[in-house]
Amino acid sequence: MTSRAHAILEAVKLSIDGEGGQMLRLVSEQSTLKPELILRIILTYLPESLDIHSYQALLAYLSGDITDRTITTSPAEPWPFHDQLSDIDARERVKRLHLLPLFPSHLRRSGVDITDVDPFTQFIIHRAHRIELETGSLPLVAQLVEPFLHHSDYLRTWAISGLLPLLRLDYEYYANKEPTYSLEAFGDLSGHEVVESLLSKAVEEKNKDSGKHIARDLRGLVGPWMYGQKSSKRRKLEAVRRRRSSAASTTSARDGDTTSQDQNAESWAIVNDWLLDLSMRSFIQVADAIAHWDGPQDVNYGRWKNESAEMELNSSQNPTSRYAQTGLAMIYANDMASMSVIESSHGVLQRAAELMKLINLPELPTITDTLAQSIPEEAHRDPMLLVGKILDQNPRSYTKLDDLLDIGQNLVAASLTTGTVETDHAEDDRQEPAPPSLVARRRIISMAIEAALKEDDFDTAYSYVVNRLQPDSNPLPNELSAYGDDASWRAAFKAGCYLVPKTSSGSSTLRRLEQRMELLSQALLLAPTTALSDILDVWRQCEEDLNSALTQEAEAEEKWDARADQRVPGQFSGYSSPVTQQKSRDPSRAAMNEEAPMGLFDVARGAAATLSKNASLLGSSRNDRSSGQGNEGHEDAEGRVRKRDIVSNMVTGGLASGIGWVLGAPPPVRET
């Protein structure tokens, strides 16, 4: 009877000769040859460059995929079994074989328990490294591994996270460039080094497709590598669970799921950091990549994907939200000013809104500390400041009001804006918060007005106040009166206070004063009661300036007429003064010599009507206060009555010679 030692030596000889088919026959016939031993013999002696198909059936048998009954071989000569060797000599030779271990320590992932990895998986991974080391051919490695991906989760994870990224990087995406890392070297890289090595080639392209290639590489290279990171963390958590008592198993599992999601988000934070850092140097390139990549849920596993990988995609909500935050963070941190950057920023905002809708978050979480280092703190609390930054960094960007409004609506769609209007007025604090879409609209219009004034573009600011801030032209007119509108009245007031530079061209001084009075009247309609005093003070000063200008114009006209009388006595019809010509072009101003323009005072009357909604007649309020005697319940409404008294004094006492008569206020009664 032939000894086990003779059979082992025969297996070694067949391996050296590359006889995979004969080895399969030998192993199936000799029950003393255990699978683990044969695997070590193959590792040690079978040539790495051998065609995989020549011994694939042998590996399938050793993995358990096929059995003795499915093996069909043609009749062969009896095994020689080294008949010339004695049993003792055969055993001595076997002792001197020095077979390789299945899974050397330098190939194991950190923290992996060798008992959790079956012998065949250990063999495949070790064989893959040896094939690459001897041949440098990753496609040959893929031929070895792919038929057995189903064998174990560990093997599939190793292949997806280690082999697949390098295979695509060096043989598919950038086949014309030098290979990057070996399997072993790639496995030794830190997370930051892996992301940099997988994405650097796309960044170096610097062409119109580089952004799309970054997105492709995030999807097809980084995504599969990240799958291995998630699986490794999950295995560690499962090992911890097994060590805990069964009494706490339910709580442990629930806590473990939460911890796994948090650690998954931490792994993707490396990618977010990389994107943010690159955006500082190449904003448009990153913006283009974001436009073509849906984030951590967008991974291309190719034909190697399976159900567990799909489940990982469906559980990536938290990393996706942080990816959307990264898009916003790179906009806030960017200091480049150009129309292309603005357009790219708009696209990033739209993308963020889409991503947040996909995961159905009620609001955008606070940006992580990792991203916060280069972002102003106030931008975290109020993402609408993005619009202000665009206006500050890009001259005349305020003329693109519709585009700015679109950005604001995208922020609202992503639930990035606050739903309240900031105000320091006690009366407004009692009001119901305004809808976010309305807040965003009027804030952006107000910011555009202020930006126009900063660039001395009074005409555009005037147009925005008159055409965009009119309550009756707003899509939600009732809500302007129902909610406090702090931004709109301030913008209208600033425009009304604007002093046109002496060097500016355009309309005459008179026309500018008329426009300012119209803007101030608009501010009266929109402002809270506590702000009316300041607005009316400016309005009165503007009215005085207008009267002074009209007086000067009348004097100039009289002087012109006097000179004309002296030059051509009795010939008046053939001459007309410049002032007369100017008046003929603007007939509305002529009426101001006799009375105030009714259009402006109609607006002021509307302000008075607004005040009267929550107060009794101003005159009676003033009389009540002057007499020092209040009606029943006066103390309960003390705050409101005082406000009415302030407005009453302001209108009836201070402006009787101005617009007070329009408000219906009685002449001031001076106490003696």
Side-chain angles (χ1 to χ4, degrees):
M1 180 178 179
T2 304
S3 68
R4 177 175 179 270
H6 283 90
I8 292 174
L9 293 176
E10 186 65 26
V12 170
K13 178 180 181 302
L14 292 174
S15 292
I16 295 174
D17 295 341
E19 295 290 344
Q22 292 300 315
M23 282 193 68
L24 175 59
R25 175 182 167 224
L26 173 66
V27 172
S28 62
E29 292 178 358
Q30 300 295 320
S31 58
T32 58
L33 299 178
K34 300 302 181 183
E36 185 171 344
L37 174 63
I38 298 301
L39 291 174
R40 294 182 64 191
I41 291 174
I42 294 173
L43 266 177
T44 308
Y45 296 106
L46 190 68
E48 285 78 12
S49 59
L50 191 65
D51 183 10
I52 303 297
H53 295 94
S54 65
Y55 61 98
Q56 185 172 330
L58 170 63
L59 297 182
Y61 176 79
L62 295 173
S63 71
D65 287 350
I66 60 176
T67 61
D68 295 340
R69 296 179 180 178
T70 59
I71 298 176
T72 57
T73 58
S74 57
E77 296 294 329
W79 300 109
F81 289 122
H82 300 274
D83 292 335
Q84 68 276 21
L85 291 177
S86 66
D87 187 52
I88 295 177
D89 291 338
R91 287 200 298 269
E92 287 296 325
R93 289 194 178 189
V94 168
K95 291 180 181 180
R96 296 195 295 269
L97 288 179
H98 300 293
L99 300 178
L100 293 172
L102 287 179
F103 205 27
S105 59
H106 70 279
L107 296 182
R108 304 173 194 169
R109 291 182 179 270
S110 60
V112 173
D113 189 346
I114 190 65
T115 59
D116 293 335
V117 185
D118 67 279
F120 186 78
T121 296
Q122 298 176 31
F123 161 79
I124 289 292
I125 294 176
H126 193 176
R127 177 73 176 173
H129 280 85
R130 291 184 62 81
I131 290 176
E132 188 207 21
L133 180 64
E134 294 297 325
T135 68
S137 174
L138 285 180
L140 193 61
V141 173
Q143 291 180 21
L144 168 74
V145 174
E146 189 168 2
F148 304 105
L149 289 176
H150 64 279
H151 181 79
S152 70
D153 290 338
Y154 188 94
L155 179 58
R156 178 183 292 278
T157 299
W158 174 85
I160 289 177
S161 62
L163 175 58
L164 182 58
L166 290 180
L167 193 65
R168 285 174 170 170
L169 181 67
D170 295 334
Y171 292 88
E172 182 178 351
Y173 295 170
Y174 305 98
N176 58 340
K177 296 186 178 182
E178 290 294 323
T180 50
Y181 294 94
S182 66
L183 284 170
E184 184 174 348
F186 185 70
D188 293 336
L189 296 178
S190 67
H192 291 280
E193 291 171 335
V194 168
V195 172
E196 179 65 29
S197 65
L198 293 179
L199 298 176
S200 59
K201 291 186 177 181
V203 175
E204 293 169 358
E205 288 184 336
K206 298 293 184 183
N207 55 39
K208 63 181 181 64
D209 293 326
S210 62
K212 296 179 182 177
H213 289 169
I214 291 175
R216 177 200 63 190
D217 295 353
L218 285 165
R219 183 183 302 109
L221 303 180
V222 177
W225 171 78
M226 197 65 70
Y227 175 73
Q229 299 298 108
K230 292 181 288 187
S231 298
S232 176
K233 291 179 173 63
R234 186 172 58 248
R235 284 195 302 271
K236 292 178 182 178
L237 290 170
E238 290 173 351
V240 172
R241 291 175 192 167
R242 287 196 297 267
R243 291 194 294 267
R244 294 179 178 177
S245 63
S246 58
S249 61
T250 302
T251 303
S252 173
R254 183 169 56 250
D255 294 343
D257 291 339
T258 303
T259 305
S260 179
Q261 291 181 4
D262 293 339
Q263 291 180 333
N264 183 20
E266 291 175 3
S267 299
W268 279 106
I270 299 174
V271 177
N272 295 335
D273 288 343
W274 184 89
L275 289 170
L276 184 60
D277 180 69
L278 179 62
S279 71
M280 304 294 187
R281 309 186 305 273
S282 183
F283 181 87
I284 296 178
Q285 193 178 36
V286 179
D288 193 27
I290 290 177
H292 292 88
W293 185 52
D294 290 339
Q297 62 183 359
D298 183 12
V299 180
N300 177 15
Y301 296 109
R303 60 179 181 270
W304 291 7
K305 69 178 179 180
N306 68 342
E307 183 178 353
S308 62
E310 294 297 329
M311 291 176 63
E312 291 288 347
L313 289 180
N314 295 332
S315 65
S316 61
Q317 292 185 357
N318 191 29
T320 300
S321 70
R322 295 193 180 182
Y323 167 60
Q325 295 170 33
T326 301
L328 299 175
M330 57 182 268
I331 296 175
Y332 298 144
N334 174 49
D335 57 1
M336 293 176 283
S338 67
M339 289 307 299
S340 58
V341 169
I342 293 177
E343 293 174 356
S344 297
S345 299
H346 193 182
V348 172
L349 283 173
Q350 289 179 324
R351 198 78 177 102
E354 293 172 0
L355 292 170
M356 303 309 286
K357 279 197 256 185
L358 284 175
I359 60 178
N360 196 26
L361 289 181
E363 61 182 24
L364 183 67
T366 304
I367 297 176
T368 58
D369 292 338
T370 304
L371 300 178
Q373 297 175 358
S374 59
I375 307 169
E377 181 62 27
E378 58 270 18
H380 295 215
R381 299 189 298 267
D382 185 7
M384 282 293 293
L385 292 179
L386 164 68
V387 178
K389 186 168 186 177
I390 294 175
L391 290 167
D392 290 339
Q393 294 183 354
N394 300 274
R396 294 192 61 79
S397 57
Y398 60 86
T399 62
K400 306 289 185 181
L401 182 56
D402 289 335
D403 292 336
L404 296 173
L405 291 173
D406 286 342
I407 293 175
Q409 294 309 310
N410 287 332
L411 287 170
V412 172
S415 299
L416 305 182
T417 58
T418 57
T420 60
V421 181
E422 294 185 3
T423 176
D424 55 0
H425 306 301
E427 183 174 348
D428 293 335
D429 290 341
R430 295 194 299 269
Q431 292 179 346
E432 181 182 353
S437 60
L438 182 60
V439 173
R441 176 182 174 83
R442 59 198 184 193
R443 281 190 64 191
I444 291 174
I445 295 174
S446 300
M447 285 189 286
I449 292 170
E450 295 180 12
L453 294 175
K454 287 181 181 179
E455 299 190 34
D456 294 327
D457 189 353
F458 178 80
D459 290 328
T460 298
Y462 170 81
S463 175
Y464 285 169
V465 173
V466 173
N467 298 316
R468 301 280 190 155
L469 291 184
Q470 289 282 0
D472 57 356
S473 66
N474 194 284
L476 298 173
N478 294 331
E479 296 190 7
L480 276 174
S481 59
Y483 305 106
D485 186 3
D486 194 62
S488 297
W489 78 263
R490 291 183 184 274
F493 184 39
K494 287 183 180 180
C497 293
Y498 179 79
L499 298 178
V500 180
K502 294 181 180 180
T503 57
S504 64
S505 60
S507 301
S508 65
T509 302
L510 287 170
R511 176 56 182 158
R512 282 288 191 247
L513 289 169
E514 293 172 7
Q515 289 176 316
R516 287 181 56 198
M517 293 177 70
E518 188 174 357
L519 297 173
L520 292 169
S521 300
Q522 181 69 13
L524 283 172
L525 281 176
L526 300 173
T529 56
T530 53
L532 293 181
S533 178
D534 293 336
I535 299 174
L536 289 171
D537 285 344
V538 178
W539 201 99
R540 182 173 59 177
Q541 181 61 49
C542 191
E543 183 185 42
E544 292 176 357
D545 293 342
L546 181 59
N547 291 334
S548 176
L550 288 171
T551 300
Q552 294 175 6
E553 183 183 77
E555 292 175 353
E557 183 179 356
E558 291 177 359
K559 292 179 181 179
W560 177 271
D561 291 341
R563 287 195 299 269
D565 291 343
Q566 294 174 0
R567 287 195 299 268
V568 188
Q571 302 293 327
F572 301 112
S573 59
Y575 296 89
S576 62
S577 69
V579 179
T580 304
Q581 294 174 359
Q582 185 178 16
K583 288 167 63 179
S584 65
R585 291 192 300 269
D586 193 0
S588 63
R589 194 164 59 242
M592 298 187 69
N593 292 318
E594 300 178 0
E595 61 181 0
M598 292 306 296
L600 304 182
F601 284 88
D602 287 339
V603 177
R605 190 185 300 276
T610 302
L611 296 177
S612 66
K613 289 181 180 179
N614 297 318
S616 60
L617 293 175
L618 295 177
S620 61
S621 297
R622 180 177 180 276
N623 294 333
D624 290 342
R625 192 196 62 167
S626 300
S627 63
Q629 298 176 354
N631 297 327
E632 290 185 10
H634 177 76
E635 292 182 358
D636 294 337
E638 180 180 357
R640 291 191 296 273
V641 170
R642 287 178 178 175
K643 288 184 179 181
R644 293 198 301 270
D645 292 341
I646 293 173
V647 177
S648 176
N649 288 336
M650 175 182 61
V651 175
T652 63
L655 298 177
S657 61
I659 68 167
W661 63 272
V662 177
L663 299 178
V669 178
R670 300 186 181 274
E671 297 181 359
T672 59

